[in-house]
């Protein structure tokens, strides 16, 4: 009897351990699978024992549930059970998500700076009708979402980012009817329309501000008002603290009529709204609803980091050691004026509001290099916030060519992907209306390669108008300078700060003013290179940046780019590369020569991953005219010729 009991016990134990180890291995195989940024999870056909960690459990010491001083099986099952439940709920979540990928993950976002896209009214400044008339171009380009920089009523001190009526169209751009026509037309073409939403400040011409100055309720506290700290030697009032404007100089402006200072994070003509006022919060929600009812598909939230300041206005911000210019925004550490925790609560309310409408996109402008701050703006599974904060790492890190190497690019790309919260989605941005054009920052030779990176990495690409044809910065004389930021630095330094060079008219063809306008002058000069750098010429050319872009946009529709995994097999000083792969799909290797000379790369020698000896060229940079790398041809991966700054998309043979 005793022996039978013993044998049964031993058998039971053996069976139990077998089941236990199998389960542990299975569970760990779920947790440690290959890198998959964002939502898609597809497994590679690699044996589980190659890719997983085996956990050895010593049952006596794992966990003592019966409290007799020795670990036991009950405890082992408890531990397994918890892990199993977690894993099942994980897998459920992932399956649920896999069902339908949101449109904003599948499409390319194209940013239009409306003043500069197309003027069909002969005013020298672009407008809504011009944009609508280019719907064919946008569709043929392959973009799916158009984000419009502000078109609201504005005195144009900051070219539309100073809004005097959040629910009206500025006559410079057109009228509400033309806006509605734009939305209808774009929707008919399957294009989405995203608006700029500028909640942090209004114009000083806004009715709210005018009434706030007069202390008319409910507007009295719509802005941030503070008493002076006294007067200086010349009798001028002293601001309450040392806070600085992003645009340089004190962030406080004295208002004689109210006898108080008001706070402005940007221009004095852009007073900051007071988000501690419930009424202000409600006003801004009403604005969002207004545009949602007009059928817009989402918003880009401007300057969200600046939404709140601490309540105690006597606090000075600490100085950054070594900063030379005390007027310069960078000379202070903005601990009291940026990224306050209250901001996320307001963002959550906006998210909630947008979610009352089907399928809306919420993206936020968070200008910081602190990766943990950036990631907060995604929210999490329980409190989702923005669909994504713009990823400005490629702007920040690609200020010029001097540091560009394969390793450097890998770091920049990895920083975002490696920190992405579970289930969240990346974005990629090469330029916008606030920085110099990427082609001028790093070199024209890299235009196609960077578009390859932007469009083929996992995440949503954002393209600034003109990037598809490689538009470059335009020299603007001091006399022609319009940007208030440039103007504030004076004739000596304006070129370091002015944003005008990247805001010049879109180059459509080689006719007068690049086909942008029939007027006798345009609001900013056209880049003299328009004779050769223009849409019409690039459509006619055998190979062009525009054609590469169009082909990339088509290629990006392949599920491997929308849902596949990514690895970085070859990273050297000269080479940046990434591999996109997915079961039952084509696998693509994108290779970029970051150097300024031609190279013959031995990808096989430098790869950390096994690669085939040959691959087929799908797409290459315009600069590469070699017979041997024509699209459709097979090329040897141990001797791959690449011109300076060239990018190449290669299709790996099936079975890899
Ligand atoms: C954002 C905009 C910028 C504007 C500023 C103030 O950073 O991108 O163009 O000047 O906000 O609204």
């Amino acid at each position: 009897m005793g022996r039978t009991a013993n044998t049964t016990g031993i058998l039971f134990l053996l069976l139990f351990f077998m089941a236990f180890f199998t389960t542990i291995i299975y569970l760990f195989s779920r947790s440690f699978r290959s890198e998959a940024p964002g939502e898609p999870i597809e497994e590679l056909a690699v044996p589980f024992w190659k890719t997983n960690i085996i956990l050895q459990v010593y049952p006596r010491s794992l966990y003592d549930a019966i409290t007799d001083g020795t670990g036991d099986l009950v405890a082992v099952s408890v531990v397994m059970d918890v892990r199993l439940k977690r894993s099942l709920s994980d897998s459920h979540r992932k399956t649920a998500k896999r069902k339908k990928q949101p449109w904003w993950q599948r499409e390319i976002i194209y940013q239009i700076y409306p003043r500069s896209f197309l003027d069909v009214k002969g005013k020298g400044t672009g407008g809504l009708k011009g944009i609508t008339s280019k719907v064919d171009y946008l569709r043929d380009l392959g973009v799916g979402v158009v984000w419009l920089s502000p078109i609201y009523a504005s005195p144009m001190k900051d070219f539309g980012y100073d809004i005097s009526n959040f629910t009206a169209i500025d006559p410079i751009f057109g009228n509400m009817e033309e806006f509605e026509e734009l939305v209808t037309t774009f929707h008919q073409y399957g294009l989405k329309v995203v608006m700029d939403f500028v909640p942090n400040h209004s114009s000083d011409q806004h009715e709210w501000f005018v009434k706030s100055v007069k202390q008319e309720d409910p507007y009295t506290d719509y802005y941030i008002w503070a008493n002076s700290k006294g007067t200086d030697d010349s009798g001028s009032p002293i601001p309450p603290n040392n806070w600085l404007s992003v645009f340089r100089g004190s962030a406080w402006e004295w208002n004689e009529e109210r006898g108080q200072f008001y706070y402005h994070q940007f221009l004095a003509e852009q007073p900051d709204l007071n988000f501690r006022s419930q009424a202000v919060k409600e006003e801004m929600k009403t604005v969002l609803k207004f545009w949602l009812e007009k059928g817009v598909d989402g918003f880009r939230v401007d300057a969200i980091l600046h939404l709140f300041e601490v309540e105690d206005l006597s606090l000075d911000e600490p100085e950054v050691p070594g900063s030379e210019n005390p007027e310069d925004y960078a000379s202070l550490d903005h601990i009291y004026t940026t990224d306050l925790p209250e901001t996320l609560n307001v963002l959550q309310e906006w998210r909630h509001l947008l979610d009352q409408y089907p399928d809306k996109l919420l993206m936020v402008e968070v200008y910081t290099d602190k990766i943990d701050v950036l990631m907060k703006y995604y929210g999490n599974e329980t409190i989702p916030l923005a669909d994504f904060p713009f990823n400005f790492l490629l702007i920040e890190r690609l200020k010029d060519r001097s540091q560009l190497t394969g390793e450097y690019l890998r770091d920049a790309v990895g920083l975002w992907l490696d920190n992405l919260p579970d289930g969240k989605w990346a974005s990629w941005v090469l330029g916008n209306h606030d920085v110099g054009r990427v082609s001028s920052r790093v070199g024209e030779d890299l235009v196609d390669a960077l578009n390859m990176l932007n469009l083929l990495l996992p995440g949503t690409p954002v393209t600034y108008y003109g990037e598809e044809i490689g538009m470059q910065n335009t020299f603007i004389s001091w006399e022609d300078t319009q940007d208030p930021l440039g103007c504030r630095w004076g004739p000596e330094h304006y070129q370091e700060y002015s944003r005008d060079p990247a805001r010049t008219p879109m180059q459509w063809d080689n006719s007068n003013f690049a086909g942008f306008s029939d007027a006798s002058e345009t609001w900013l000069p056209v880049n003299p290179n328009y004779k050769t750098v223009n849409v019409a010429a690039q459509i006619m050319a055998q190979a062009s940046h525009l054609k590469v872009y169009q082909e990339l946009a088509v290629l990006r529709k392949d599920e491997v780019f929308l849902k596949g995994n990514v690895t970085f097999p070859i990273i050297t000083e000269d080479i940046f590369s990434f591999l996109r792969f997915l079961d039952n799909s084509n696998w693509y290797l994108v290779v970029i020569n970051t150097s300024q000379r031609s190279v013959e790369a031995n990808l096989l020698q430098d790869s950390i991953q096994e690669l085939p000896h040959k691959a087929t060229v799908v797409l290459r940079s315009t600069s590469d005219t070699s017979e041997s790398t024509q699209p459709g041809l097979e090329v040897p991966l141990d001797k791959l010729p690449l011109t300076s700054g060239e990018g190449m998309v290669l299709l790996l043979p099936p079975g890899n």
Side-chain angles (χ1 to χ4, degrees):
M1 191 57 196
R3 281 183 66 148
T4 320
N6 267 350
T7 319
T8 318
I10 288 166
L11 265 176
F12 170 77
L13 264 178
L14 269 174
L15 275 172
F16 184 86
F17 277 120
M18 277 168 71
F20 172 71
F21 282 120
T22 316
T23 314
I24 290 286
I25 286 164
Y26 167 75
L27 292 176
F28 271 77
S29 77
R30 298 201 59 84
S31 312
F32 291 91
R33 64 175 117 208
S34 55
E35 181 180 357
E39 129 179 48
I41 303 289
E42 294 288 335
E43 284 170 50
L44 280 172
V46 178
F48 75 88
W49 46 267
K50 276 195 182 172
T51 51
N52 293 305
I53 296 170
I54 297 174
L55 175 76
Q56 179 188 356
V57 174
Y58 191 63
R60 289 181 76 84
S61 305
L62 185 67
Y63 178 54
D64 171 19
I66 302 173
T67 58
D68 60 355
T70 313
D72 44 64
L73 294 178
V74 178
V76 171
S77 339
V78 169
V79 174
M80 276 168 58
D81 194 40
V82 170
R83 193 62 192 81
L84 185 63
K85 274 189 193 138
R86 241 190 244 153
S87 160
L88 287 178
S89 72
D90 264 10
S91 74
H92 172 74
R93 225 176 47 213
K94 278 162 184 159
T95 329
K97 275 217 192 96
R98 233 182 271 152
K99 268 190 205 151
K100 192 174 172 245
Q101 195 173 23
W103 56 265
W104 50 265
Q105 295 186 355
R106 303 183 70 90
E107 303 294 352
I108 300 168
I109 298 177
Y110 187 82
Q111 180 190 357
I112 289 183
Y113 196 66
R115 294 181 80 81
S116 297
F117 201 57
L118 182 64
D119 165 29
V120 290
K121 294 185 177 173
K123 297 194 211 169
T125 306
L128 294 175
K129 271 218 167 294
I131 298 171
T132 311
S133 73
K134 284 293 179 187
V135 66
D136 284 323
Y137 171 73
L138 296 166
R139 185 206 40 205
D140 295 348
L141 188 59
V143 302
V145 187
V146 169
W147 148 36
L148 301 175
S149 286
I151 49 169
Y152 314 107
S154 162
M156 300 290 162
K157 297 290 182 211
D158 189 18
F159 295 105
Y161 284 96
D162 49 319
I163 298 170
S164 51
N165 185 341
F166 288 94
T167 53
I169 304 287
D170 195 280
I172 285 190
F173 299 117
N175 55 41
M176 197 55 86
E177 228 179 292
E178 288 173 6
F179 175 75
E180 285 162 2
E181 190 194 337
L182 182 151
V183 175
T184 312
T185 312
F186 276 40
H187 283 172
Q188 279 164 356
Y189 275 68
L191 296 170
K192 307 276 185 187
V193 181
V194 168
M195 303 285 277
D196 223 301
F197 173 53
V198 189
N200 178 66
H201 45 268
S202 74
S203 156
D204 62 346
Q205 316 273 303
H206 197 296
E207 186 195 356
W208 300 339
F209 187 73
V210 175
K211 292 187 169 162
S212 194
V213 169
K214 297 189 188 320
Q215 307 206 44
E216 265 180 47
D217 278 335
Y219 306 105
T220 311
D221 297 327
Y222 265 37
Y223 296 85
I224 296 156
W225 292 98
N227 292 331
S228 76
K229 266 205 313 200
T231 46
D232 63 14
D233 294 346
S234 62
S236 307
I238 305 172
N241 58 41
N242 70 345
W243 298 353
L244 289 168
S245 152
V246 174
F247 287 164
R248 189 171 190 236
S250 173
W252 295 97
E253 182 78 3
W254 179 252
N255 182 275
E256 203 56 58
E257 191 177 342
R258 183 156 157 162
Q260 277 189 308
F261 279 101
Y262 66 85
Y263 175 68
H264 58 92
Q265 189 64 95
F266 295 91
L267 295 176
E269 292 89 346
Q270 294 170 294
D272 268 47
L273 284 155
N274 173 17
F275 268 84
R276 298 194 186 277
S277 147
Q278 190 54 31
V280 167
K281 285 204 269 181
E282 290 309 318
E283 294 274 17
M284 291 326 266
K285 282 196 213 160
T286 309
V287 170
L288 288 173
K289 279 190 218 151
F290 178 89
W291 294 106
L292 287 164
E293 298 297 331
K294 293 257 173 236
V296 308
D297 301 290
F299 299 93
R300 170 262 188 192
V301 183
D302 181 71
I304 195 166
L305 274 183
H306 304 281
L307 220 55
F308 282 89
E309 308 68 37
V310 287
E311 281 179 283
D312 182 353
L313 300 180
S314 70
L315 295 171
D316 278 342
E317 287 191 326
E319 281 165 29
V320 172
S323 45
E324 280 161 21
N325 194 334
E327 295 272 280
D328 192 350
Y329 185 67
S331 68
L332 296 181
D333 186 3
H334 305 289
I335 54 173
Y336 299 136
T337 54
T338 58
D339 186 39
L340 264 64
E342 294 88 331
T343 315
L344 297 183
N345 300 337
V346 172
L347 184 56
Q348 190 187 347
E349 289 178 29
W350 293 339
R351 169 85 271 167
H352 182 69
L353 191 150
L354 259 69
D355 288 346
Q356 310 304 306
Y357 298 77
D359 256 1
K360 299 299 173 194
L361 167 65
L362 187 60
M363 42 190 195
V364 290
E365 183 205 28
V366 183
Y367 249 118
T368 173
D369 52 4
K370 296 182 185 137
I371 197 74
D372 49 328
V373 170
L374 283 158
M375 295 300 144
K376 275 192 320 198
Y377 285 77
Y378 276 110
N380 53 39
E381 290 291 336
T382 24
I383 306 183
L385 298 172
D387 291 308
F388 53 80
F390 282 93
N391 172 357
F392 294 132
L393 292 175
L394 293 177
I395 290 183
E396 278 304 305
R397 306 248 171 149
L398 296 178
K399 287 205 170 100
D400 55 43
R401 187 68 167 263
S402 63
Q403 284 178 286
L404 188 62
T405 60
E407 290 109 358
Y408 184 77
L409 209 47
R410 168 69 179 96
D411 265 11
V413 169
L415 189 56
W416 198 276
L417 293 179
D418 297 343
N419 285 285
L420 200 59
D422 190 28
K424 298 294 178 184
W425 184 255
S427 74
W428 305 100
V429 187
L430 297 172
N432 62 33
H433 62 293
D434 289 331
V435 293
R437 288 203 171 261
V438 66
S439 167
S440 301
R441 296 194 326 256
V442 293
E444 208 252 330
D445 58 334
L446 274 165
V447 166
D448 297 322
L450 290 177
N451 281 333
M452 288 173 189
L453 182 139
N454 198 22
L455 268 61
L456 301 183
L457 277 173
T460 297
V462 185
T463 291
Y464 182 52
Y465 81 96
E467 264 167 20
E468 70 275 28
I469 55 169
M471 267 176 68
Q472 293 178 348
N473 285 342
T474 304
F475 168 76
I476 313 280
S477 67
W478 169 245
E479 291 68 37
D480 282 341
T481 293
Q482 305 281 339
D483 180 23
L485 182 55
C487 294
R488 281 167 83 98
W489 281 90
E492 294 290 301
H493 291 286
Y494 81 97
Q495 287 193 57
E496 293 153 47
Y497 295 91
S498 174
R499 298 168 294 178
D500 289 339
R503 295 177 174 182
T504 57
M506 176 71 178
Q507 294 163 210
W508 294 106
D509 56 39
N510 64 7
S511 68
N512 223 5
F513 295 126
F516 163 73
S517 171
D518 282 344
S520 53
E521 63 177 337
T522 53
W523 83 282
L524 277 177
V526 172
N527 193 310
N529 71 10
Y530 78 92
K531 292 268 177 203
T532 47
V533 180
N534 67 61
V535 171
Q538 296 201 13
I539 288 176
M540 294 302 288
Q542 184 92 14
S544 67
H545 297 316
L546 183 67
K547 287 198 166 157
V548 170
Y549 191 96
Q550 284 174 319
E551 288 189 51
L552 284 171
V554 172
L555 196 58
R556 189 177 179 275
K557 300 255 176 242
D558 191 318
E559 291 295 289
V560 70
F561 294 111
L562 297 172
K563 298 189 167 174
N565 298 280
V566 66
T567 54
F568 302 89
I570 311 114
I571 301 293
T572 65
E573 185 166 354
D574 291 342
I575 300 293
F576 172 78
S577 73
F578 57 96
L579 176 72
R580 298 301 311 269
F581 59 95
L582 183 70
D583 271 357
N584 308 318
S585 268
N586 291 324
W587 289 21
Y588 292 92
L589 179 66
V590 181
V591 187
I592 294 175
N593 170 14
T594 56
S595 79
Q596 284 172 289
R597 55 191 168 79
S598 296
V599 296
E600 193 173 74
N602 186 341
L603 305 184
L604 298 183
Q605 171 193 291
D606 294 321
S607 180
I608 53 164
Q609 205 172 316
E610 208 178 310
L611 290 175
H613 283 86
K614 286 182 172 177
T616 307
V617 178
V618 178
L619 209 49
R620 58 180 180 170
S621 284
T622 321
S623 56
D624 184 350
T625 51
S626 143
E627 289 285 319
S628 65
T629 58
Q630 282 187 43
L633 293 185
E634 270 200 341
V635 284
L637 295 191
D638 59 345
K639 273 191 196 134
L640 186 69
L642 294 162
T643 61
S644 141
E646 175 170 12
M648 204 181 266
V649 183
L650 299 162
L651 174 68
L652 299 195
N656 276 281

